[in-house]
Amino acid sequence: MSRAGGGNDIQWCFSQVKGAVDDDVAEADIISTVEFNHSGELLATGDKGGRVVIFQQEQENKTQSHSRGEYNVYSTFQSHEPEFDYLKSLEIEEKINKIRWLPQKNAAQFLLSTNDKTIKLWKISERDKRPEGYNLKEEDGRYRDPTTVTTLRVPVFRPMDLMVEASPRRIFANAHTYHINSISINSDYETYLSADDLRINLWHLEITDRSFNIVDIKPANMEELTEVITAAEFHPNSCSTFVYSSSKGTIRLCDMRASALCDRHSKLFEEPEDPSNRSFFSEIISSISDVKFSHSGRYMMTRDYLSVKIWDLNMENRPVETYQVLGENHFECCWNGSDSIVMTGSYNNFFRMFDRNSKRDITLEASRENNKPRTVLKPRKVCASGKRKKDEISVDSLDFNKKILHTAWHPKENIIAVATTNNLYIFQDKMN
Amino acid sequence: MGEEEGLHQTQLLDTMFVRGLKRKCFDGEEDIEGTLAGIKAVPSYNLQRQSLLDMSLVKLQLCHMLVEPNLCRSVLIANTVRQIQEEMTQDGTWQMINAQNTGQASLDRLVSTDILCRSSGDQAEGKHVPAYGTFNKDFESDQAQDGSETMSTASSVQAPRNLQSNMWEEMENPQENKGNFQKSLDQIFETLENKSPNSVEDLFSEVDNSYYDLDTMLTGMMTNTKMGHCDSLETFSSPTNTASNSNCKSDLNDLDHIVEILVES
């Protein structure tokens, strides 16, 4: 992928960066989730301060055929506020853990956003006209004396500056004792699931006062707890199928038709541990941080501490592909639109892509140093300590505080959004 | 995963484990060469394991001191502790630990763990910094006092009498060391269980401290966890008792660094 020209190699270029320039990061600005909508026209980010910022891609400029539209701020709103649970003396963080878009059905856009405890359905709608010509009020808004009104005047809509409004349409609360880590919309577009450390609930988008519990792994005796749920997702095509990953490195595929409570999995995906690799950290490093179905639904990808694995849903006993990468408990991963490339974040503001066909991989860096548009990103190389060549970075010098936890790939094009702590970088492939 | 890939993983972890030290030392005091010279090679397996065990225990206790523990983190650390325990039971390391007279060495280790607590506390939960501050203050001042005084002055209503006497018994009878580790774990669990009249479930779910003033709770927990800690450390001194304190400290910092990277949320 790092070679110029030829074949399927992509050359990634810097496109934009959003966020504060200075190194002093306000905690509220830390980006906690990134998600493209189904068309790729909108890009949503959530942050630790409970805000959602939506960017919209400009329509393509016919004269500038070598670059795609830029993403500019479309709407900003406060999705969640900090809350205090008085009964348990607990503060509930407003940090947005996940955003998921609904497919567009009418002029408005809908998305689900969640913090640790509450999921909200937001409607984002545009207003570009307003009614004018009332004769019932004065200029300043005071109502005129009705006796002075002698004609009937129907107001007409006149164009106005575009205003984008976000309003909460549903609030799904009080269904999770533990912290919500995932939400996933079903392919029926009517239901969705929400998962916390020990339970998964099924909701209907129209109904907020009830949800069905479909997975419960809480043991009767909490002292026996050895495993938690780390991520869950619905299958992209099969509306009765979903998967959830655990801290023990297993993925369970469940079919909701089998029983109301999906405690017994239909398939269990687990790679047997190589006993020669056993270390103190075996327990910790097998934990899966993210699971994502491919767009086709044939494969799924999991991210654990040291690797990205691709699983064929038809084979449970081992992954079909494994890619080595350094990571930790909360790195996400994503597929490109054609399921041929997978991407995940790493330390030092590096992110990595693996081409499943060519088996080549590339490491790139999100940094303001390459901030000229259409500058091709230079591939980075991490080497073992002591063997550093020119331009390489030794594993000792990695900054473990600069993490790219959240990445997203445009559903159709080669445009990616990569979030460092408080900046959002947008890269696209070089079009020529 | 292929053998080669597995080797890569282990090398990576070893690299992080040993080299993580460089980063810590760089921030301050000592000359890198001097420190590295003090650590001749990769620390022995037993020492590594010992250090990881101690540190995991501390982290577990710290996890449970939070009003709202991170469940995933607690579970991962607890599983690691269990794994080490099983391994130590299997290879008979338990028997070796008996005869060692820890005395001064264990206090030194308390010192290094104290620093460990402070650094991980500051990193982990911004909201709870005051709690950690208090914890460390009492921790340090308690060390200076005689053990028995600490027990009686700090014994708050929360500490059940029988639990304290159990701990006392263990400190005075170092021969009774088989299964001590499990007992220490149980004591930690018991402590938390007794703190709340509700079920053991509070260990991992949100702590129900509505019956206690926050300060009193913290004091109670500090006493009990400190005693639990003291107890567990006393019964496990490392078989390869390292000469210098800085080695201990830096090893713990190493492990702290690794584990923080791995479980940090």
Side-chain angles (χ1 to χ4, degrees):
Chain A
M1 265 204 248
S2 54
R3 289 156 180 71
N8 295 321
D9 289 351
I10 303 177
Q11 284 189 293
W12 288 99
C13 304
F14 173 86
S15 175
Q16 297 170 268
V17 60
K18 309 281 190 194
V21 182
D22 51 65
D23 284 333
D24 221 355
V25 180
E27 194 156 319
D29 293 337
I30 294 174
I31 297 173
S32 50
T33 185
V34 180
E35 188 81 0
F36 279 100
N37 76 337
H38 289 251
S39 66
E41 185 202 353
L42 299 176
L43 176 60
T45 62
D47 66 23
K48 213 168 174 203
R51 290 165 303 198
V52 171
V53 180
I54 302 177
F55 300 90
Q56 183 188 42
Q57 191 180 29
E58 272 173 16
Q59 292 309 304
E60 277 181 40
N61 194 333
K62 297 289 191 294
T63 58
Q64 278 193 303
S65 58
H66 47 259
S67 77
R68 297 182 186 79
E70 277 197 345
Y71 282 86
N72 298 314
V73 176
Y74 177 68
S75 171
T76 305
F77 57 94
Q78 187 75 34
S79 170
H80 287 71
E81 299 275 3
E83 287 173 51
F84 197 78
D85 182 338
Y86 291 96
L87 215 55
K88 296 176 182 170
S89 288
L90 288 174
E91 189 177 302
I92 300 171
E93 270 197 321
E94 66 275 31
K95 175 171 73 104
I96 308 295
N97 293 335
K98 284 287 187 305
I99 290 174
R100 290 286 182 263
W101 289 92
L102 266 74
Q104 190 173 13
K105 283 193 286 194
N106 52 37
Q109 300 276 358
F110 288 85
L111 60 79
L112 283 176
S113 67
T114 186
N115 68 350
D116 285 338
K117 297 286 184 183
T118 304
I119 307 129
K120 295 188 184 181
L121 176 69
W122 288 88
K123 175 179 177 182
I124 296 109
S125 47
E126 293 184 359
R127 192 196 292 268
D128 60 358
K129 345 180 215 316
R130 69 162 159 251
E132 285 177 15
Y134 289 101
N135 65 341
L136 297 174
K137 294 186 200 174
E138 303 287 1
E139 290 287 329
D140 57 10
R142 275 182 304 137
Y143 279 98
R144 286 169 63 179
D145 179 358
T147 57
T148 64
V149 179
T150 54
T151 57
L152 178 69
R153 183 133 48 107
V154 178
V156 293
F157 277 101
R158 298 224 184 277
M160 60 179 257
D161 286 340
L162 178 66
M163 199 167 73
V164 181
E165 300 169 321
S167 58
R169 307 302 288 187
R170 304 273 185 278
I171 298 184
F172 306 91
N174 301 322
H176 286 278
T177 309
Y178 304 97
H179 290 182
I180 297 174
N181 53 54
S182 314
I183 46 175
S184 176
I185 299 174
N186 201 343
S187 49
D188 65 9
Y189 301 141
E190 287 185 350
T191 57
Y192 75 94
L193 63 77
S194 58
D196 67 30
D197 293 320
L198 297 178
R199 298 191 177 102
I200 302 179
N201 293 333
L202 180 71
W203 303 82
H204 191 285
L205 283 165
E206 299 291 329
I207 299 169
T208 57
D209 61 354
R210 266 170 292 158
S211 71
F212 287 102
N213 176 242
I214 53 177
V215 172
D216 188 339
I217 65 168
K218 182 177 172 188
N221 183 353
M222 278 296 274
E223 275 188 351
E224 290 163 10
L225 180 68
T226 57
E227 191 174 13
V228 300
I229 297 170
T230 52
E233 195 180 55
F234 265 120
H235 190 276
N237 307 319
S238 165
C239 58
S240 56
T241 307
F242 67 92
V243 292
Y244 67 93
S245 59
S246 82
S247 57
K248 283 215 149 160
T250 63
I251 308 104
R252 287 176 174 78
L253 184 142
C254 300
D255 190 326
M256 295 193 293
R257 295 167 296 190
S259 69
L261 187 63
C262 300
D263 270 357
R264 293 171 55 192
H265 52 263
S266 300
K267 293 197 184 199
L268 175 69
F269 297 84
E270 186 176 17
E271 187 171 21
E273 190 189 15
D274 183 352
S276 65
N277 282 342
R278 195 147 176 78
S279 75
F280 302 132
F281 307 109
S282 293
E283 192 62 48
I284 298 177
I285 66 177
S286 58
S287 177
I288 291 176
S289 56
D290 194 18
V291 63
K292 290 254 172 50
F293 278 106
S294 65
H295 293 90
S296 63
R298 166 85 191 270
Y299 299 98
M300 66 180 175
M301 163 166 57
T302 58
R303 174 80 161 96
D304 58 40
Y305 284 97
L306 294 175
S307 59
V308 168
K309 295 179 183 173
I310 313 282
W311 303 79
D312 184 322
L313 290 192
N314 299 317
M315 186 162 74
E316 296 165 66
N317 61 351
R318 61 178 175 81
V320 291
E321 295 155 37
T322 303
Y323 304 99
Q324 297 287 339
V325 61
L326 199 56
E328 54 143 84
N329 198 24
H330 286 83
F331 283 90
E332 291 173 5
C333 51
C334 63
W335 299 83
N336 73 338
S338 59
D339 296 338
S340 61
I341 306 175
V342 295
M343 170 168 70
T344 190
S346 183
Y347 295 106
N348 214 80
N349 285 346
F350 288 171
F351 56 100
R352 301 195 64 191
M353 295 185 196
F354 302 94
D355 187 321
R356 300 177 59 212
N357 298 325
S358 69
K359 301 299 180 202
R360 284 209 290 261
D361 65 272
I362 189 172
T363 304
L364 299 171
E365 182 178 3
S367 122
R368 285 185 180 265
E369 285 169 19
N370 309 320
N371 63 358
K372 285 205 296 277
R374 296 196 295 283
T375 309
V376 176
L377 296 180
K378 195 174 75 167
R380 309 305 307 257
K381 192 150 164 52
V382 179
C383 60
S385 45
K387 294 185 203 148
R388 200 176 89 86
K389 299 196 196 101
K390 182 178 176 295
D391 279 352
E392 288 183 351
I393 297 216
S394 121
V395 71
D396 308 347
S397 347
L398 289 181
D399 187 339
F400 288 87
N401 289 321
K402 291 191 182 169
K403 300 175 248 187
I404 290 182
L405 297 174
H406 312 287
T407 54
W409 202 306
H410 189 290
K412 301 184 174 63
E413 315 214 18
N414 283 331
I415 302 175
I416 54 175
V418 165
T420 59
T421 310
N422 67 329
N423 285 166
L424 182 71
Y425 287 80
I426 300 177
F427 301 102
Q428 44 182 283
D429 67 354
K430 197 178 170 78
M431 293 172 75
N432 258 332
Chain B
M1 211 177 299
E3 193 184 302
E4 207 183 278
E5 289 166 338
L7 204 57
H8 178 263
Q9 275 192 32
T10 322
Q11 279 174 356
L12 215 50
L13 283 173
D14 277 344
T15 306
M16 286 168 71
F17 182 78
V18 177
R19 302 298 181 173
L21 175 64
K22 248 202 221 164
R23 220 183 336 268
K24 288 276 180 182
C25 289
F26 212 76
D27 286 347
E29 328 94 343
E30 296 148 21
D31 179 34
I32 292 182
E33 271 84 47
T35 316
L36 284 180
I39 301 161
K40 298 193 181 86
V42 176
S44 76
Y45 181 85
N46 282 345
L47 178 60
Q48 284 184 27
R49 182 174 63 184
Q50 188 62 56
S51 310
L52 182 60
L53 174 65
D54 294 340
M55 198 184 59
S56 299
L57 273 176
V58 172
K59 284 187 179 294
L60 209 53
Q61 291 171 5
L62 290 175
C63 275
H64 299 148
M65 282 179 68
L66 297 180
V67 181
E68 196 177 19
N70 179 329
L71 199 59
C72 190
R73 184 187 158 111
S74 305
V75 164
L76 289 176
I77 296 175
N79 287 349
T80 304
V81 163
R82 227 174 260 122
Q83 178 192 330
I84 296 178
Q85 177 205 1
E86 277 166 20
E87 197 177 282
M88 288 177 93
T89 311
Q90 271 168 23
D91 68 16
T93 319
W94 290 103
Q95 278 68 19
M96 281 178 67
I97 291 169
N98 272 346
Q100 302 260 346
N101 178 16
T102 60
Q104 188 63 32
S106 78
L107 274 184
D108 288 338
R109 302 194 70 187
L110 285 176
V111 170
S112 37
T113 331
D114 167 57
I115 294 166
L116 166 73
C117 291
R118 199 182 298 141
S119 63
S120 65
D122 285 342
Q123 278 176 32
E125 310 288 330
K127 286 199 253 291
H128 294 274
V129 165
Y132 286 127
T134 326
F135 174 85
N136 290 321
K137 199 160 55 69
D138 285 7
F139 204 88
E140 281 171 7
S141 55
D142 282 345
Q143 281 170 35
Q145 297 169 23
D146 176 35
S148 57
E149 276 179 18
T150 314
M151 280 298 279
S152 47
T153 51
S155 75
S156 44
V157 197
Q158 285 74 25
R161 285 284 154 204
N162 53 350
L163 185 60
Q164 281 186 5
S165 55
N166 278 346
M167 287 171 171
W168 265 124
E169 262 173 64
E170 296 218 351
M171 285 171 76
E172 282 160 7
N173 299 313
Q175 274 68 33
E176 297 270 9
N177 279 328
K178 194 160 184 182
N180 258 350
F181 172 64
Q182 184 56 48
K183 248 192 187 171
S184 302
L185 253 193
D186 287 349
Q187 280 165 4
I188 295 167
F189 291 164
E190 261 179 62
T191 303
L192 295 167
E193 189 179 344
N194 290 327
K195 184 186 62 56
S196 160
N198 292 339
S199 65
V200 176
E201 134 177 350
D202 284 335
L203 174 68
F204 282 114
S205 70
E206 293 86 357
V207 168
D208 180 10
N209 62 351
S210 49
Y211 293 89
Y212 302 98
D213 179 58
L214 187 65
D215 282 341
T216 322
M217 180 195 80
L218 284 174
T219 315
M221 291 212 64
M222 273 187 285
T223 311
N224 292 322
T225 54
K226 179 193 148 329
M227 280 304 119
H229 193 160
C230 209
D231 174 48
S232 60
L233 283 184
E234 281 211 323
T235 53
F236 311 126
S237 70
S238 165
T240 66
N241 209 355
T242 51
S244 81
N245 297 340
S246 67
N247 279 352
C248 250
K249 192 195 296 191
S250 46
D251 289 338
L252 287 171
N253 281 343
D254 254 352
L255 275 165
D256 171 40
H257 184 65
I258 301 302
V259 177
E260 275 307 314
I261 290 174
L262 292 176
V263 302
E264 185 182 357
S265 61

